Amino acid sequence: IITLAYLVGASSQLLGGHLGDKGVAKTAYILSYALKTAALAAACVMTGWSLLLVAILVIFAFDIAAPIESLLIARYSPSGRRGLAYGFRNGLAVIGAPLGVQLVARFYNPSDHFLLVFLILTSVAAVVMAVAFLLPRDQRPTAVKTYA
């Protein structure tokens, strides 16, 4: 079941890459965080099989943003500093895993289970979504003329 959840969720990277290529990276990025916010909020109240569906939705929403983030970094970082920008993003991801473990260890409550953890994650996703509105307007791809 977990493998299926990740398979369905991870397939969204293809959709994210497609949307980025279509020139709607900012919009897709904002919508992915809106979906994350809604799915994480739903996880606060779901149990059983419905929670599994919400988990798939969360994975889908997180993975759709990955290729879009790469595109946005490539587009808006200075060409001489792209390696540093990617390194910073990947470093944050590496740091995020142990911080996530600490978040669960600190805020898990046997009576409320993961409610507070999901509320914190929902808040973080909402903040990222709000900040994403500050990104520059999307640039529509232009047709490249070829000469024979």
Side-chain angles (χ1 to χ4, degrees):
I1 292 178
I2 301 300
T3 302
L4 178 63
Y6 272 98
L7 182 63
V8 170
S11 68
S12 66
Q13 288 196 20
L14 298 173
L15 178 59
H18 176 72
L19 292 172
D21 288 343
K22 290 292 184 187
V24 292
K26 177 182 177 180
T27 303
Y29 194 68
I30 290 169
L31 290 176
S32 77
Y33 272 91
L35 183 60
K36 287 174 198 173
T37 302
L40 287 165
C44 291
V45 296
M46 298 290 179
T47 60
W49 288 104
S50 59
L51 183 58
L52 176 64
L53 295 175
V54 169
I56 292 171
L57 191 59
V58 168
I59 296 167
F60 186 89
F62 270 91
D63 283 356
I64 198 171
I68 297 169
E69 286 172 353
S70 294
L71 185 141
L72 292 172
I73 289 172
R75 183 180 293 163
Y76 297 118
S77 63
S79 61
R81 297 285 184 214
R82 282 200 188 112
L84 181 63
Y86 283 111
F88 184 71
R89 181 186 81 171
N90 293 338
L92 285 175
V94 169
I95 292 169
L99 288 178
V101 171
Q102 292 300 314
L103 179 76
V104 171
R106 179 162 172 81
F107 294 108
Y108 175 79
N109 181 330
S111 62
D112 293 330
H113 301 287
F114 293 100
L115 177 64
L116 191 54
V117 174
F118 284 131
L119 288 174
I120 291 168
L121 293 174
T122 300
S123 300
V124 170
V127 168
V128 172
M129 180 183 68
V131 170
F133 278 100
L134 300 175
L135 287 168
R137 186 178 304 180
D138 280 323
Q139 300 169 355
R140 299 282 180 188
T142 55
V144 176
K145 291 184 180 183
T146 57
Y147 299 97

